Amino acid sequence: MDRRTTTVPGSGHEDPTADVLTEAAAAFGLLASPARLHIVWALAQGESDVTGLAERVGGALPAVSQHLTKLKLAGLVRSRREGRRQVYLVDDPDVVDVVRLLVGRLTARTTGAGLPAPRRLHGL
């Protein structure tokens, strides 16, 4: 992978490395699923077991469990044993910040909270 950074002329900002972009794209790819995004959102509010998550996000238990496995393998969530239950929590506070920011802003736009209209990325 290319680990070099370059500075954008006139901006004073460095471009991220290829490794950073690859990692970010992988995280965004996992969060591109509305179900997984909802699970991360729910876990950002507090830890839960798979049964509680399935009830909250309205998914079937096996599907939610499968999403949790993918999120866990990616390092976005982790679990711990609590008696006979597996309790899940977000393992990356930066992901929580991004999810809360984006969902919060989109919610504000749909409720007319005075934010500018979204710019759409058509054709990508």
Side-chain angles (χ1 to χ4, degrees):
M1 291 247 157
D2 184 7
R3 299 179 190 276
R4 295 174 289 154
T5 61
T6 57
T7 302
V8 178
S11 74
H13 296 285
E14 285 187 358
D15 283 344
T17 64
D19 288 346
V20 168
L21 291 171
T22 299
E23 189 173 337
F28 282 125
L30 278 168
L31 296 175
S33 158
R36 284 192 291 272
L37 184 59
H38 196 173
I39 289 167
V40 171
W41 173 262
L43 291 175
Q45 314 313 311
E47 14 182 90
S48 180
D49 65 6
V50 68
T51 303
L53 283 170
E55 290 171 4
R56 180 160 181 187
V57 304
L61 199 63
V64 171
S65 182
Q66 193 172 57
H67 287 307
L68 284 166
T69 298
K70 289 179 182 182
L71 292 166
K72 193 174 175 181
L73 286 171
L76 298 180
V77 302
R78 65 184 168 94
S79 65
R80 65 174 170 43
R81 181 101 14 227
E82 199 174 85
R84 293 171 46 189
R85 300 180 330 144
Q86 279 291 100
V87 176
Y88 293 88
L89 56 149
V90 177
D91 198 29
D92 190 335
D94 293 330
V95 169
V96 171
D97 291 343
V98 170
V99 169
R100 282 185 175 156
L101 176 68
L102 182 58
V103 171
R105 289 202 176 182
L106 292 173
T107 300
R109 285 180 183 157
T110 61
T111 59
L115 293 174
R119 291 181 290 155
R120 303 279 182 213
L121 299 175
H122 293 289
L124 294 180

PDB file of all heavy atoms in Angstrom, residues 50-69:
ATOM      1  N   VAL A  50     -27.958  -9.463  22.002  1.00  0.00           N
ATOM      2  CA  VAL A  50     -28.482  -9.613  20.652  1.00  0.00           C
ATOM      3  C   VAL A  50     -30.013  -9.599  20.639  1.00  0.00           C
ATOM      4  O   VAL A  50     -30.626  -9.057  19.717  1.00  0.00           O
ATOM      5  CB  VAL A  50     -27.898 -10.868  19.960  1.00  0.00           C
ATOM      6  CG1 VAL A  50     -28.405 -12.143  20.605  1.00  0.00           C
ATOM      7  CG2 VAL A  50     -28.185 -10.870  18.476  1.00  0.00           C
ATOM      8  N   THR A  51     -30.630 -10.134  21.674  1.00  0.00           N
ATOM      9  CA  THR A  51     -32.100 -10.142  21.732  1.00  0.00           C
ATOM     10  C   THR A  51     -32.646  -8.722  21.833  1.00  0.00           C
ATOM     11  O   THR A  51     -33.574  -8.346  21.117  1.00  0.00           O
ATOM     12  CB  THR A  51     -32.598 -10.987  22.925  1.00  0.00           C
ATOM     13  OG1 THR A  51     -32.067 -12.307  22.794  1.00  0.00           O
ATOM     14  CG2 THR A  51     -34.110 -11.047  22.966  1.00  0.00           C
ATOM     15  N   GLY A  52     -32.048  -7.915  22.696  1.00  0.00           N
ATOM     16  CA  GLY A  52     -32.461  -6.516  22.839  1.00  0.00           C
ATOM     17  C   GLY A  52     -32.238  -5.726  21.565  1.00  0.00           C
ATOM     18  O   GLY A  52     -33.078  -4.907  21.170  1.00  0.00           O
ATOM     19  N   LEU A  53     -31.113  -5.986  20.890  1.00  0.00           N
ATOM     20  CA  LEU A  53     -30.848  -5.302  19.619  1.00  0.00           C
ATOM     21  C   LEU A  53     -31.852  -5.701  18.553  1.00  0.00           C
ATOM     22  O   LEU A  53     -32.340  -4.846  17.806  1.00  0.00           O
ATOM     23  CB  LEU A  53     -29.428  -5.599  19.142  1.00  0.00           C
ATOM     24  CG  LEU A  53     -28.312  -4.845  19.840  1.00  0.00           C
ATOM     25  CD1 LEU A  53     -26.958  -5.418  19.449  1.00  0.00           C
ATOM     26  CD2 LEU A  53     -28.378  -3.359  19.515  1.00  0.00           C
ATOM     27  N   ALA A  54     -32.154  -6.992  18.470  1.00  0.00           N
ATOM     28  CA  ALA A  54     -33.113  -7.459  17.461  1.00  0.00           C
ATOM     29  C   ALA A  54     -34.470  -6.800  17.674  1.00  0.00           C
ATOM     30  O   ALA A  54     -35.113  -6.371  16.714  1.00  0.00           O
ATOM     31  CB  ALA A  54     -33.235  -8.984  17.513  1.00  0.00           C
ATOM     32  N   GLU A  55     -34.891  -6.688  18.943  1.00  0.00           N
ATOM     33  CA  GLU A  55     -36.161  -6.023  19.230  1.00  0.00           C
ATOM     34  C   GLU A  55     -36.105  -4.547  18.866  1.00  0.00           C
ATOM     35  O   GLU A  55     -37.041  -4.004  18.296  1.00  0.00           O
ATOM     36  CB  GLU A  55     -36.510  -6.178  20.714  1.00  0.00           C
ATOM     37  CG  GLU A  55     -36.896  -7.581  21.112  1.00  0.00           C
ATOM     38  CD  GLU A  55     -37.024  -7.766  22.620  1.00  0.00           C
ATOM     39  OE1 GLU A  55     -36.882  -6.776  23.377  1.00  0.00           O
ATOM     40  OE2 GLU A  55     -37.260  -8.919  23.040  1.00  0.00           O
ATOM     41  N   ARG A  56     -34.992  -3.909  19.186  1.00  0.00           N
ATOM     42  CA  ARG A  56     -34.874  -2.472  18.945  1.00  0.00           C
ATOM     43  C   ARG A  56     -34.828  -2.135  17.459  1.00  0.00           C
ATOM     44  O   ARG A  56     -35.463  -1.186  17.016  1.00  0.00           O
ATOM     45  CB  ARG A  56     -33.634  -1.927  19.645  1.00  0.00           C
ATOM     46  CG  ARG A  56     -33.456  -0.446  19.422  1.00  0.00           C
ATOM     47  CD  ARG A  56     -32.594   0.201  20.421  1.00  0.00           C
ATOM     48  NE  ARG A  56     -32.495   1.629  20.156  1.00  0.00           N
ATOM     49  CZ  ARG A  56     -31.695   2.415  20.791  1.00  0.00           C
ATOM     50  NH1 ARG A  56     -30.941   1.954  21.761  1.00  0.00           N
ATOM     51  NH2 ARG A  56     -31.643   3.698  20.492  1.00  0.00           N
ATOM     52  N   VAL A  57     -34.041  -2.891  16.696  1.00  0.00           N
ATOM     53  CA  VAL A  57     -33.877  -2.558  15.276  1.00  0.00           C
ATOM     54  C   VAL A  57     -34.897  -3.258  14.392  1.00  0.00           C
ATOM     55  O   VAL A  57     -34.939  -3.019  13.190  1.00  0.00           O
ATOM     56  CB  VAL A  57     -32.435  -2.843  14.774  1.00  0.00           C
ATOM     57  CG1 VAL A  57     -31.412  -2.101  15.602  1.00  0.00           C
ATOM     58  CG2 VAL A  57     -32.128  -4.321  14.743  1.00  0.00           C
ATOM     59  N   GLY A  58     -35.712  -4.127  14.979  1.00  0.00           N
ATOM     60  CA  GLY A  58     -36.753  -4.796  14.211  1.00  0.00           C
ATOM     61  C   GLY A  58     -36.233  -5.850  13.260  1.00  0.00           C
ATOM     62  O   GLY A  58     -36.812  -6.083  12.208  1.00  0.00           O
ATOM     63  N   GLY A  59     -35.133  -6.487  13.626  1.00  0.00           N
ATOM     64  CA  GLY A  59     -34.566  -7.519  12.768  1.00  0.00           C
ATOM     65  C   GLY A  59     -34.716  -8.892  13.379  1.00  0.00           C
ATOM     66  O   GLY A  59     -34.938  -9.037  14.577  1.00  0.00           O
ATOM     67  N   ALA A  60     -34.589  -9.899  12.551  1.00  0.00           N
ATOM     68  CA  ALA A  60     -34.613 -11.277  13.030  1.00  0.00           C
ATOM     69  C   ALA A  60     -33.324 -11.549  13.800  1.00  0.00           C
ATOM     70  O   ALA A  60     -32.253 -11.038  13.449  1.00  0.00           O
ATOM     71  CB  ALA A  60     -34.733 -12.235  11.852  1.00  0.00           C
ATOM     72  N   LEU A  61     -33.419 -12.323  14.837  1.00  0.00           N
ATOM     73  CA  LEU A  61     -32.286 -12.631  15.698  1.00  0.00           C
ATOM     74  C   LEU A  61     -31.074 -13.152  14.916  1.00  0.00           C
ATOM     75  O   LEU A  61     -29.962 -12.644  15.107  1.00  0.00           O
ATOM     76  CB  LEU A  61     -32.720 -13.626  16.774  1.00  0.00           C
ATOM     77  CG  LEU A  61     -31.855 -13.728  18.008  1.00  0.00           C
ATOM     78  CD1 LEU A  61     -31.825 -12.430  18.786  1.00  0.00           C
ATOM     79  CD2 LEU A  61     -32.356 -14.850  18.887  1.00  0.00           C
ATOM     80  N   PRO A  62     -31.238 -14.119  13.997  1.00  0.00           N
ATOM     81  CA  PRO A  62     -30.070 -14.598  13.242  1.00  0.00           C
ATOM     82  C   PRO A  62     -29.422 -13.507  12.380  1.00  0.00           C
ATOM     83  O   PRO A  62     -28.200 -13.441  12.262  1.00  0.00           O
ATOM     84  CB  PRO A  62     -30.630 -15.719  12.369  1.00  0.00           C
ATOM     85  CG  PRO A  62     -31.893 -16.140  13.025  1.00  0.00           C
ATOM     86  CD  PRO A  62     -32.434 -14.906  13.695  1.00  0.00           C
ATOM     87  N   ALA A  63     -30.238 -12.652  11.787  1.00  0.00           N
ATOM     88  CA  ALA A  63     -29.697 -11.577  10.944  1.00  0.00           C
ATOM     89  C   ALA A  63     -28.918 -10.571  11.780  1.00  0.00           C
ATOM     90  O   ALA A  63     -27.820 -10.146  11.395  1.00  0.00           O
ATOM     91  CB  ALA A  63     -30.824 -10.880  10.187  1.00  0.00           C
ATOM     92  N   VAL A  64     -29.468 -10.184  12.926  1.00  0.00           N
ATOM     93  CA  VAL A  64     -28.777  -9.239  13.803  1.00  0.00           C
ATOM     94  C   VAL A  64     -27.478  -9.854  14.308  1.00  0.00           C
ATOM     95  O   VAL A  64     -26.437  -9.197  14.345  1.00  0.00           O
ATOM     96  CB  VAL A  64     -29.685  -8.790  14.975  1.00  0.00           C
ATOM     97  CG1 VAL A  64     -28.915  -7.978  16.000  1.00  0.00           C
ATOM     98  CG2 VAL A  64     -30.867  -7.988  14.434  1.00  0.00           C
ATOM     99  N   SER A  65     -27.516 -11.121  14.638  1.00  0.00           N
ATOM    100  CA  SER A  65     -26.319 -11.821  15.091  1.00  0.00           C
ATOM    101  C   SER A  65     -25.244 -11.826  14.000  1.00  0.00           C
ATOM    102  O   SER A  65     -24.062 -11.605  14.264  1.00  0.00           O
ATOM    103  CB  SER A  65     -26.676 -13.250  15.484  1.00  0.00           C
ATOM    104  OG  SER A  65     -25.550 -13.927  15.969  1.00  0.00           O
ATOM    105  N   GLN A  66     -25.660 -12.047  12.767  1.00  0.00           N
ATOM    106  CA  GLN A  66     -24.725 -12.041  11.635  1.00  0.00           C
ATOM    107  C   GLN A  66     -24.123 -10.645  11.426  1.00  0.00           C
ATOM    108  O   GLN A  66     -22.926 -10.508  11.184  1.00  0.00           O
ATOM    109  CB  GLN A  66     -25.447 -12.516  10.381  1.00  0.00           C
ATOM    110  CG  GLN A  66     -24.537 -12.856   9.241  1.00  0.00           C
ATOM    111  CD  GLN A  66     -25.314 -13.500   8.112  1.00  0.00           C
ATOM    112  OE1 GLN A  66     -26.272 -12.926   7.599  1.00  0.00           O
ATOM    113  NE2 GLN A  66     -24.902 -14.687   7.711  1.00  0.00           N
ATOM    114  N   HIS A  67     -24.944  -9.601  11.531  1.00  0.00           N
ATOM    115  CA  HIS A  67     -24.436  -8.230  11.416  1.00  0.00           C
ATOM    116  C   HIS A  67     -23.437  -7.939  12.529  1.00  0.00           C
ATOM    117  O   HIS A  67     -22.390  -7.325  12.299  1.00  0.00           O
ATOM    118  CB  HIS A  67     -25.581  -7.221  11.473  1.00  0.00           C
ATOM    119  CG  HIS A  67     -26.430  -7.182  10.246  1.00  0.00           C
ATOM    120  ND1 HIS A  67     -25.917  -7.006   8.970  1.00  0.00           N
ATOM    121  CD2 HIS A  67     -27.767  -7.282  10.086  1.00  0.00           C
ATOM    122  CE1 HIS A  67     -26.898  -7.003   8.095  1.00  0.00           C
ATOM    123  NE2 HIS A  67     -28.040  -7.179   8.739  1.00  0.00           N
ATOM    124  N   LEU A  68     -23.747  -8.372  13.742  1.00  0.00           N
ATOM    125  CA  LEU A  68     -22.835  -8.158  14.868  1.00  0.00           C
ATOM    126  C   LEU A  68     -21.502  -8.861  14.639  1.00  0.00           C
ATOM    127  O   LEU A  68     -20.448  -8.311  14.973  1.00  0.00           O
ATOM    128  CB  LEU A  68     -23.473  -8.641  16.173  1.00  0.00           C
ATOM    129  CG  LEU A  68     -24.542  -7.724  16.747  1.00  0.00           C
ATOM    130  CD1 LEU A  68     -25.347  -8.448  17.829  1.00  0.00           C
ATOM    131  CD2 LEU A  68     -23.937  -6.436  17.295  1.00  0.00           C
ATOM    132  N   THR A  69     -21.539 -10.041  14.066  1.00  0.00           N
ATOM    133  CA  THR A  69     -20.303 -10.766  13.768  1.00  0.00           C
ATOM    134  C   THR A  69     -19.432  -9.970  12.804  1.00  0.00           C
ATOM    135  O   THR A  69     -18.225  -9.832  13.008  1.00  0.00           O
ATOM    136  CB  THR A  69     -20.617 -12.166  13.185  1.00  0.00           C
ATOM    137  OG1 THR A  69     -21.338 -12.903  14.169  1.00  0.00           O
ATOM    138  CG2 THR A  69     -19.357 -12.908  12.801  1.00  0.00           C
TER     139      THR A  69
END
